[in-house]
Amino acid sequence: MDLSLSTRTVGDRTVVEVGGEIDVYTAPKLREQLVELVNDGSFHLVVDMEGVDFLDSTGLGVLVGGLKRVRAHEGSLRLVCNQERILKIFRITGLTKVFPIHTSVEEAVAATD
Amino acid sequence: MATVELRFSALPEHVRTARLVAAAVARRAGVDEAVLDEVRLAVGEACSRAVGLHQNGRINSPVKVVLIEEEKQFSIEVGDEAPRSAPGERAPGAAADDVETEEDEMGLAVISGLVDDVEVSAGEHGGLIRMTWPTTPPAATPVV
């Protein structure tokens, strides 16, 4: 399975819905998407990972890179994820302390901290 | 005995193939279903790292994956042919070293977080990551 990406705007947030596998091959596409959004002035991003089947460290690197970019504009990058197999990767790398991780898009969009 | 051996050109698009093959062979070898996700992720990390090392070092040889089924255990060896230079010595054409080193370390961090039994070695002829998981023999078919 390849990577699928779609974006929509909810208030002042941009929701990026990601599906499929984020790995060394597909991660550059996600990176391009995040860079493009930030360049177009979207600084409050919600990355919905509910449709992600696989995530590796390359994908984590892209998300960290995205966070760095939005923070340069005082923005935010929130994740939506309930899948244990994906959450585990954030835990073992200590990134649960870096990313706010929400259980639903609604919750992420409403979050302000 | 090597059950399955796989060699692939050092291209990112082939890493997924290596993951699928490794997971399929691990399942057959009797690695617990609950651990297969970890096998898939760990072998993907090791292969991504090897692909990166080959690409950065402009090495044309393939990345090698050896899947070894043994009694009570299953091992995966991912070998690269990127020579490790002495500290302070830079491989020619190795740009953006910091970013690459960071990604390399993140991959290794994931592997060591996932796999209890892992050995990483590297020398002038390349590196090898060996990961081992216990297997459970197939349960005897109950007589009805």
Side-chain angles (χ1 to χ4, degrees):
Chain A
M1 187 185 283
D2 215 336
L3 183 75
S4 69
L5 294 167
S6 69
T7 61
R8 64 180 192 275
T9 308
V10 181
D12 66 339
R13 311 291 166 99
T14 303
V15 179
V16 184
E17 203 177 298
V18 190
E21 302 187 338
I22 312 176
D23 73 352
V24 66
Y25 178 53
T26 60
K29 279 187 218 164
L30 178 61
R31 181 187 291 122
E32 276 167 33
Q33 173 77 82
L34 296 179
V35 168
E36 198 180 301
L37 286 170
V38 173
N39 288 347
D40 291 347
S42 304
F43 304 140
H44 291 281
L45 307 178
V46 172
V47 180
D48 180 358
M49 317 262 297
E50 284 300 270
V52 173
D53 304 311
F54 182 87
L55 173 75
D56 74 0
S57 65
T58 326
L60 292 177
V62 167
L63 292 171
V64 172
L67 182 66
K68 214 168 135 182
R69 281 171 199 279
V70 294
R71 277 192 178 162
H73 298 277
E74 285 168 18
S76 61
L77 193 157
R78 296 170 182 282
L79 304 176
V80 176
C81 183
N82 293 296
Q83 301 185 70
E84 187 48 40
R85 68 209 294 207
I86 305 288
L87 290 170
K88 185 176 182 179
I89 306 160
F90 285 96
R91 272 201 298 272
I92 61 174
T93 50
L95 290 173
T96 43
K97 297 186 189 83
V98 175
F99 291 103
I101 301 178
H102 300 273
T103 55
S104 70
V105 171
E106 291 70 30
E107 186 191 296
V109 166
T112 49
D113 290 330
Chain B
M1 185 196 127
T3 315
V4 174
E5 200 173 305
L6 179 72
R7 284 166 197 267
F8 64 92
S9 306
L11 296 169
E13 52 263 51
H14 298 319
V15 172
R16 179 171 188 264
T17 306
R19 286 202 304 268
L20 295 175
V21 171
V25 178
R27 177 182 280 124
R28 263 201 62 84
V31 174
D32 197 84
E33 283 291 322
V35 188
L36 286 179
D37 273 340
E38 295 174 11
V39 172
R40 201 175 285 124
L41 181 56
V43 76
E45 294 292 350
C47 289
S48 304
R49 182 171 176 270
V51 166
L53 289 167
H54 277 213
Q55 290 195 336
N56 297 337
R58 296 185 186 160
I59 295 158
N60 293 321
S61 50
V63 171
K64 187 173 161 188
V65 183
V66 182
L67 310 166
I68 307 154
E69 192 180 336
E70 285 163 310
E71 206 184 336
K72 294 181 185 168
Q73 67 173 39
F74 174 73
S75 301
I76 301 179
E77 290 180 357
V78 177
D80 65 75
E81 292 184 17
R84 306 308 199 269
S85 51
E89 206 181 300
R90 289 274 182 237
D97 281 314
D98 289 347
V99 176
E100 278 156 15
T101 308
E102 260 174 45
E103 284 185 2
D104 182 31
E105 280 169 7
M106 181 115 86
L108 280 182
V110 171
I111 292 171
S112 49
L114 282 175
V115 189
D116 295 331
D117 187 351
V118 57
E119 292 165 37
V120 182
S121 57
E124 55 181 317
H125 301 298
L128 187 77
I129 297 181
R130 184 185 166 99
M131 302 168 281
T132 303
W133 289 269
T135 54
T136 44
T141 316
V143 181
V144 182

